[in-house]
Amino acid sequence: MKWKGFKDIQATIIIDLIKSEEELKNNLHKDAQRYLKKSFQYSLKFEESDEWDEFYPIYKKVAVNGGIVPVQLDKIDKKKLYLLVIKHEGKIIGGLIINFEDGIPNMMINAIDSNYYYTCAGYFNYWNMILWAKNKGFKKLNLGGYQIYAKKKLVYINKFKEKWGGLIVHYYVYSKNPLYILGRK
């Protein structure tokens, strides 16, 4: 057996989309149900979009505030990704970017303009992403990374993702660079 490299464990949350919409909604944590209901008061719209230039500044601000170097807009391969946005009164206030891994939609980027947190747009975003993937005929949805050894802000991101009724799934990644594995610790 050939050596694959140094091994590290990672995790994600997978939503089972075979369930009915009602079952999916009933599996939501009570906080997610409450904030989702509140988001409906603001007449938010969720849609597929090609308005990358309008979404990018929101993503960039969220990334920088989170201590992440944002991917440059011209480096994003828009032909292989889906941009799903939330609009309030015709203006993009947030959204997410989906890629596909092994035929499963995978949330890569999620960003909401902080001026619109009061609309509970983050809850609206996640719920509509789930419905979008279900309506496209997918059987599963990957909510993106789940930090096993989370600290500080990442703990809250994990708790938010846990509210959507998914299953935490662990998997291994390999790297021949030990610094990559150590850096993840």
Side-chain angles (χ1 to χ4, degrees), residues 22-91:
E22 185 176 335
E23 287 175 298
L24 289 168
K25 201 168 205 175
N26 289 338
N27 284 340
L28 301 180
H29 185 276
K30 64 181 177 181
D31 288 344
Q33 290 179 6
R34 183 173 70 246
Y35 290 121
L36 181 60
K37 185 176 179 181
K38 184 177 178 185
S39 74
F40 294 142
Q41 299 172 7
Y42 295 98
S43 301
L44 301 175
K45 303 284 184 228
F46 182 88
E47 59 190 48
E48 288 184 34
S49 178
D50 61 359
E51 298 170 277
W52 292 89
D53 291 334
E54 289 79 15
F55 174 72
Y56 185 79
I58 297 167
Y59 153 66
K60 184 177 178 181
K61 182 179 176 184
V62 169
V64 169
N65 288 344
I68 299 168
V69 177
V71 177
Q72 295 176 348
L73 183 59
D74 62 350
K75 303 286 187 213
I76 296 173
D77 188 352
K78 300 170 194 132
K79 293 178 183 170
K80 294 183 179 178
L81 304 172
Y82 277 92
L83 173 62
L84 306 170
V85 298
I86 301 172
K87 292 185 176 181
H88 178 63
E89 298 177 352
K91 177 184 177 190

Side-chain angles (χ1 to χ4, degrees), residues 37-156:
K37 185 176 179 181
K38 184 177 178 185
S39 74
F40 294 142
Q41 299 172 7
Y42 295 98
S43 301
L44 301 175
K45 303 284 184 228
F46 182 88
E47 59 190 48
E48 288 184 34
S49 178
D50 61 359
E51 298 170 277
W52 292 89
D53 291 334
E54 289 79 15
F55 174 72
Y56 185 79
I58 297 167
Y59 153 66
K60 184 177 178 181
K61 182 179 176 184
V62 169
V64 169
N65 288 344
I68 299 168
V69 177
V71 177
Q72 295 176 348
L73 183 59
D74 62 350
K75 303 286 187 213
I76 296 173
D77 188 352
K78 300 170 194 132
K79 293 178 183 170
K80 294 183 179 178
L81 304 172
Y82 277 92
L83 173 62
L84 306 170
V85 298
I86 301 172
K87 292 185 176 181
H88 178 63
E89 298 177 352
K91 177 184 177 190
I92 293 177
I93 64 165
L96 44 87
I97 298 174
I98 301 282
N99 72 357
F100 293 90
E101 292 178 8
D102 300 323
I104 298 172
N106 176 48
M107 185 185 67
M108 286 179 47
I109 293 170
N110 174 41
I112 304 296
D113 183 331
S114 59
N115 294 318
Y116 293 90
Y117 283 169
Y118 71 92
T119 67
C120 302
Y123 289 88
F124 187 82
N125 207 21
Y126 267 66
W127 176 245
N128 281 283
M129 171 182 55
I130 292 168
L131 295 181
W132 174 85
K134 179 172 181 54
N135 291 334
K136 290 278 187 187
F138 293 104
K139 307 288 185 234
K140 295 179 182 179
L141 171 66
N142 184 340
L143 294 186
Y146 181 89
Q147 305 302 315
I148 297 171
Y149 307 110
K151 295 178 182 163
K152 300 180 183 178
K153 185 177 181 180
L154 294 177
V155 170
Y156 299 105

